[in-house]
Amino acid sequence: MGESVFSAEIAELQQRLTNIQQSGKGVQLEILLQDLGTAVEELRVADEEVRSQQEEVARLLESEQLLRWRHERMLSALPVPVLTTDNSGQLRSINPAGAALVGVPIAHLLRKPLFALVDESDRAGLRTVLNDAVRRGVTSTRRVRLRLRGHTVDVTASVSPTSQVPGEVTWLLLGQSLPNNPETIESHAPLADALVKLFTLSATWSDPRDVLQHTAYVVSEALGGNVSVSVVLGPPSAPTGVASSSSEAQDLDGWQLASGTGPVHAAYDAGRTIVSADVHRDPRWKPPPVPAFAAGLVSAAALPLGHGDEVEGVLAVYLPNVLEATPELVERAEILAASVSSVLQEMGLRNHLEALGDDMHSALASRSMIEQAKGIVMAAKHCTADEAFQHLVRLSNTSHLKLRDVASQVVQGAGG
C-alpha cells in the first residue's frame, strides 16, 4: 500500500539523519535536507496515498457488516418496538422502543432467546410464524402475550425475513391496546412489509430519484389502495426532489408548491404532523382555492421527515373522502415517516461515501499525472526524480497553478 511505502521512506530518511549527525558530515546533511523537502512535497501531493482508503470505502459499501449496521440504525429511529433475531429466535438487535417495552437495557437483551419473553401458551404458534419467515420468506402476524417482569403485555408480532442481512428475521411489535381479532391482526402485515421494503431501498437503488419514487409507492401500498402519497425532499418552496404515487397527488403537490400554502408547507414549517379533513375548505390555506384537477383528493395528513429538530422534507398522505385521515391511519403514517427519514439519512450517507470515493479517484488520477510529468522532465533535463519533482513545484509556485495542472500541461505538451 502507498502509505507503507511512505512510512518506509520516512524511516530511511530518519536513519540517514541519525547516521549523519553521528558522523558530522555537513555536505551529506545538506543533501538529506533536500531529500526531506522532496519527501514533504510528495506526502502533500499524495495526500497520504488514497488508494487503500478508496478500496476500503468500496468494501464498506458492499459489506455485510455495513448492511447490518445500516439496518440497525434505521430500526433505532422507529417509534415502535422492533427487533431482529437469528433463525432460532436469538436476539441480535433491538431498538430503544423495544427495550423500553421490555423494561430491560439493550445490552442485557442481546444474544438472549426471544421466546423466554413470550408466554408459554404462545410459544408454539410463534415458532410457526418464525419458520414461515425463514423457510417461505413471507411476512406473518400473530397475537402473542409477553411476560415482562411481573406483568403481561398483549402485542401483535409481525415477523419478516431481513433481506439486507441473510439469516436474520425482523420482528415488529404493534397494537398493544388493540382488540384481539383476525382483521386487526392481519392489518399489521402491510405495515410490516412496508418497513422491511423501506429498509432495503437505499441499498437496492443508487439513484435518489428512484429511491424517492419507490418510497412513495411502498408507503401508499402500506396505507391502503385508496391512499395517494407524495415525498417532498427539502423545503417545499424550493424542493430538491419530489415523488408521488398518483397523478392527482402530483397535481395537489404542484398547487401547494406554486401557491406557497397547504399542509405540506405547514408541516415543514411547524416540524409536526398537520391533518386536514378537507383541504379544499380548510381556512388555514383557503386562498387560493385548490384547482379542480386535484379535486379527487380531499383529506390530507402531512408529516415532517428528519431527525431531531432538523426537518429534511415532508411525507404527504392524501385520501379521497372527508375525515378519512383517521387517528389510526395517521399513527401508521407516522411510523412509516420515521422509517422514510432513516431512508433519507442512509441516502445522504451513501452519497457522501460515494463522493469521497470519487474524490479519492481524482486524487489518484492527479498522482498518476504528476508521475508522468516527472518522467518527462527527467528525460528532458537528464535529472533525478527528486530534481524533476522540485522543478514541477517551482513551476507551480511561479505560475500560481496547482501542481496537478502544471503536470497536466507538461504531459499535454509532450504529447503535442
Side-chain angles (χ1 to χ4, degrees):
M1 293 292 180
E3 185 177 353
S4 62
V5 171
F6 276 109
S7 299
E9 290 180 358
I10 292 173
E12 180 185 355
L13 289 170
Q14 289 175 334
Q15 183 60 46
R16 288 172 59 187
L17 178 61
T18 301
N19 294 339
I20 292 171
Q21 288 174 336
Q22 292 175 350
S23 64
K25 296 180 180 179
V27 175
Q28 292 188 18
L29 181 59
E30 184 118 354
I31 297 173
L32 177 61
L33 289 175
Q34 293 178 358
D35 291 344
L36 284 173
T38 300
V40 169
E41 292 293 344
E42 290 275 10
L43 287 171
R44 180 181 66 81
V45 174
D47 195 21
E48 296 181 354
E49 288 294 344
V50 296
R51 186 181 301 276
S52 61
Q53 298 180 35
Q54 184 185 32
E55 293 173 352
E56 180 67 9
V57 169
R59 185 188 68 80
L60 283 173
L61 284 173
E62 302 300 331
S63 69
E64 181 177 320
Q65 182 180 3
L66 179 64
L67 291 176
R68 178 177 285 106
W69 174 60
R70 175 189 293 146
H71 186 69
E72 292 178 0
R73 288 204 313 122
M74 294 181 71
L75 292 182
S76 68
L78 294 179
V80 294
V82 185
L83 51 91
T84 62
T85 70
D86 62 14
N87 293 343
S88 64
Q90 187 179 69
L91 279 165
R92 303 295 295 272
S93 68
I94 183 169
N95 70 347
L101 170 66
V102 177
V104 178
I106 293 177
H108 295 170
L109 290 169
L110 299 182
R111 294 176 294 280
K112 300 295 192 301
L114 172 63
F115 292 98
L117 303 174
V118 178
D119 188 87
E120 292 184 6
S121 61
D122 292 329
R123 291 178 185 175
L126 200 58
R127 290 189 184 279
T128 300
V129 172
L130 175 60
N131 289 333
D132 287 341
V134 173
R135 297 178 181 177
R136 297 169 52 200
V138 298
T139 298
S140 301
T141 57
R142 193 176 186 88
R143 195 73 168 176
V144 298
R145 175 168 295 182
L146 302 180
R147 293 198 172 274
L148 311 172
R149 293 197 166 186
H151 69 283
T152 61
V153 177
D154 290 331
V155 299
T156 297
S158 293
V159 189
S160 308
T162 306
S163 56
Q164 281 189 287
V165 186
E168 290 193 3
V169 178
T170 299
W171 302 67
L172 180 68
L173 307 181
L174 292 173
Q176 300 171 32
S177 59
L178 295 178
N180 186 5
N181 62 71
E183 291 184 2
T184 299
I185 293 176
E186 289 303 319
S187 69
H188 289 85
L191 179 59
D193 278 335
L195 292 176
V196 172
K197 290 177 181 177
L198 289 173
F199 293 156
T200 66
L201 284 181
S202 59
T204 305
W205 302 93
S206 57
D207 190 328
R209 293 171 297 181
D210 291 334
V211 175
L212 287 181
Q213 189 61 64
H214 282 81
T215 296
Y217 288 144
V218 169
V219 175
S220 176
E221 291 176 359
L223 295 178
N226 63 337
V227 176
S228 295
V229 170
S230 292
V231 182
V232 179
L233 188 59
S237 57
T240 58
V242 179
S244 305
S245 65
S246 71
S247 59
E248 287 185 318
Q250 188 175 10
D251 292 338
L252 195 51
D253 288 333
W255 164 74
Q256 294 180 82
L257 301 184
S259 63
T261 187
V264 171
H265 283 273
Y268 186 87
D269 294 338
R272 60 181 176 84
T273 300
I274 300 295
V275 179
S276 176
D278 190 343
V279 179
H280 303 262
R281 296 180 175 82
D282 198 313
R284 288 174 290 181
W285 39 80
K286 187 173 183 179
V290 178
F293 54 73
L297 299 176
V298 179
S299 60
L303 308 98
L305 301 174
H307 291 86
D309 296 331
E310 183 178 357
V311 180
E312 301 176 9
V314 176
L315 175 69
V317 177
Y318 303 120
L319 300 105
N321 298 316
V322 176
L323 300 177
E324 276 211 350
T326 62
E328 182 181 353
L329 183 139
V330 173
E331 181 181 1
R332 291 170 184 256
E334 288 177 338
I335 295 172
L336 290 165
S339 182
V340 173
S341 297
S342 295
V343 171
L344 298 180
Q345 188 177 43
E346 293 305 319
M347 282 174 52
L349 175 60
R350 186 180 183 89
N351 292 339
H352 174 72
L353 289 174
E354 290 177 345
L356 178 61
D358 292 340
D359 291 343
M360 292 177 178
H361 180 75
S362 298
L364 286 175
S366 297
R367 175 73 175 170
S368 175
M369 185 69 68
I370 292 170
E371 291 299 323
Q372 292 182 55
K374 281 171 58 177
I376 293 171
V377 173
M378 289 170 62
K381 292 184 171 294
H382 305 288
C383 61
T384 65
D386 290 347
E387 292 170 339
F389 185 79
Q390 291 297 338
H391 177 71
L392 293 174
V393 171
R394 287 193 296 272
L395 289 176
S396 173
N397 293 334
T398 56
S399 63
H400 303 291
L401 294 174
K402 292 182 179 180
L403 188 59
R404 63 172 178 266
D405 295 331
V406 171
S408 177
Q409 291 180 3
V410 170
V411 173
Q412 291 176 1

